[in-house]
Amino acid sequence: MRIVFRPQATRAQIDRVEKLLQQLRFRYRRSQTADGTVIGVVGDTALLTERHVQDMPGVALVAPFTVPYKQASREYSPSSTVVQVGPVRIGGSDVVVMAGPCSVESHEGLFAVARRVKAAGASILRGGAFKPRTSPYSFQGLGREGLELLRAASDATGMVVVTEVMDTRHVDLVAQYADILQIGARNVQNFDLLREVGASGKPVLLKRGLMTTIEEYLLCAEYILATGNEQVMLCERGIRTFETVTRNTLDVCAVPVIHRLSHLPILVDPSHATGEWRYVLPMARAAVAAGADGLMIEVHPDPANAFSDGPQSLTPEHFDQLMREVAPMAGALGRKLDRVPIRSRGDGA
Ligand code: PEP
Ligand code: MN
């Protein structure tokens, strides 16, 4: 339910309604729009009717949500969500870049990539320690050792770290090492896992599934939000279509659609969307031009010998080029590529 106030409603009138919501222990969010204040509310909203909130001074309208993904919707919060992770703001005016290898393979390789992508302007280090592989015989990730390496590379470079958690039994473990918990495309509708990462209280990067519609996807985000964890970021990473030339089909239009329907930040991963490094650059430009709040890019020092996703991994040189090409796209929209001045601990980077 949303409570829309009259443009001329006074602060005291709005505060009075807010106080009632607090007394009744509702979850709510207050936003300021060009037309006035809106408060989105979830819970047993019949109570609000009983209390005649619609007749309280300053209130113009009390209306039910028109969409099933309540807290994820713009109706709940007309103001965009900005997720703050350490020094990095995701969903604000900067376009943030998450970059790193598909899988964490070795200390040397990870540190080399971390230094390079940081130098190019990325503020978030990515890397998989638990890998969702199509074949059970493919490299499955280094597990805890991979998490330790990620933490060490993150501490050395001052980068924020994001990594995937695949299993409810590993949420606590991954949360000890990572700043952001990633839910992969294949687990987007693993509702128990969504509840568990929500309850961890950590920021969550929720990737779109290969086969999820945007409405289903926003309902997945709703599972996390329903736990009270509001730090949710979305990521379009390509969907499965009849086209086979690329690994998936990047749904660039999901970016403006999600911005209209939801207040959550939406990033784009052109690496998994295309499956081929040569298409990653143009799709990264397209994503930023479409208004994406950030990018996730796979980078490997030696893609030909990567343990996973080598064909779609950029060399550090190509990543430098990507950052140079994307910056003006962000600038054209009055944004800038995130280059948060980040601390360095003795890596000389
Ligand atoms: C990944 O980012 O490491 C990954 C496996 O991506 P996705 O879940 O989008 O396939
Ligand atoms: Mn990958």
Side-chain angles (χ1 to χ4, degrees):
M1 184 169 272
R2 68 202 161 97
I3 305 169
V4 182
F5 290 86
R6 296 182 198 287
Q8 63 276 23
T10 65
R11 199 180 185 99
Q13 290 171 338
I14 299 165
D15 286 349
R16 219 176 122 214
V17 173
E18 196 168 330
K19 204 163 208 160
L20 177 65
L21 296 174
Q22 284 166 4
Q23 273 168 12
L24 298 173
R25 298 188 174 281
F26 274 106
R27 185 171 297 155
Y28 68 91
R29 201 193 282 191
R30 178 170 166 168
S31 298
Q32 197 56 44
T33 73
D35 302 323
T37 300
V38 175
I39 301 184
V41 189
V42 284
D44 180 7
T45 47
L47 270 178
L48 298 181
T49 316
E50 273 172 32
R51 296 291 192 111
H52 301 287
V53 170
Q54 69 280 6
D55 301 325
M56 285 174 74
V59 174
L61 172 78
V62 177
F65 293 115
T66 63
V67 288
Y69 45 89
K70 299 177 183 181
Q71 284 184 76
S73 74
R74 278 267 176 214
E75 294 178 0
Y76 181 70
S77 174
S79 310
S80 296
T81 288
V82 177
V83 178
Q84 179 95 37
V85 190
V88 184
R89 284 165 59 80
I90 303 131
S93 58
D94 291 353
V95 175
V96 299
V97 181
M98 307 179 169
C102 177
S103 305
V104 178
E105 300 173 2
S106 67
H107 179 283
E108 195 192 15
L110 181 65
F111 274 64
V113 166
R115 291 192 178 112
R116 286 295 300 262
V117 296
K118 179 195 167 183
S123 54
I124 302 180
L125 178 64
R126 66 143 285 142
F130 293 97
K131 295 302 303 175
R133 304 305 302 281
T134 302
S135 162
Y137 306 117
S138 302
F139 176 61
Q140 303 286 311
L142 295 180
R144 183 191 286 268
E145 188 193 341
L147 296 175
E148 285 167 359
L149 290 175
L150 277 169
R151 189 69 258 160
S154 153
D155 287 345
T157 56
M159 297 178 82
V160 161
V161 70
V162 57
T163 195
E164 177 163 352
V165 53
M166 289 170 54
D167 190 315
T168 50
R169 292 169 299 184
H170 294 152
V171 172
D172 287 344
L173 173 70
V174 178
Q176 277 171 37
Y177 292 94
D179 301 303
I180 304 172
L181 301 181
Q182 176 173 325
I183 298 294
R186 289 155 194 81
N187 267 320
V188 70
Q189 287 183 312
N190 182 339
F191 302 119
D192 286 335
L193 184 59
L194 298 179
R195 283 195 199 94
E196 214 57 43
V197 291
S200 77
K202 285 268 181 176
V204 179
L205 177 74
L206 177 66
K207 298 188 87 174
R208 183 176 179 188
L210 284 74
M211 302 287 280
T212 40
T213 65
I214 289 174
E215 179 163 309
E216 287 164 347
Y217 185 29
L218 292 174
L219 279 163
C220 299
E222 191 75 13
Y223 266 89
I224 302 169
L225 296 168
T227 66
N229 184 342
E230 298 190 339
Q231 303 182 85
V232 179
M233 295 155 265
L234 304 172
C235 182
E236 161 62 41
R237 46 77 71 211
I239 52 175
R240 185 159 279 184
T241 67
F242 53 82
E243 184 53 71
T244 55
V245 171
T246 49
R247 181 175 177 181
N248 292 290
T249 298
L250 178 59
D251 182 7
V252 190
C253 196
V255 173
V257 169
I258 287 174
H259 272 150
R260 182 173 68 83
L261 300 177
S262 177
H263 52 86
L264 298 172
I266 167 82
L267 291 84
V268 168
D269 168 356
S271 304
H272 292 91
T274 62
E276 193 174 335
W277 73 269
R278 68 186 73 250
Y279 303 130
V280 172
L281 271 79
M283 289 302 95
R285 296 195 303 261
V288 172
D293 295 302
L295 295 171
M296 173 174 265
I297 308 288
E298 287 189 340
V299 182
H300 194 281
D302 180 13
N305 289 304
F307 291 3
S308 57
D309 286 350
Q312 70 196 32
S313 297
L314 299 187
T315 60
E317 293 72 29
H318 277 136
F319 182 70
D320 290 344
Q321 186 186 341
L322 179 144
M323 295 298 275
R324 282 197 303 274
E325 291 184 7
V326 164
M329 309 300 292
L333 297 176
R335 306 179 87 171
K336 72 174 179 60
L337 263 201
D338 176 30
R339 281 170 192 266
V340 177
I342 38 186
R343 85 206 141 74
S344 236
R345 258 197 242 150
D347 69 325

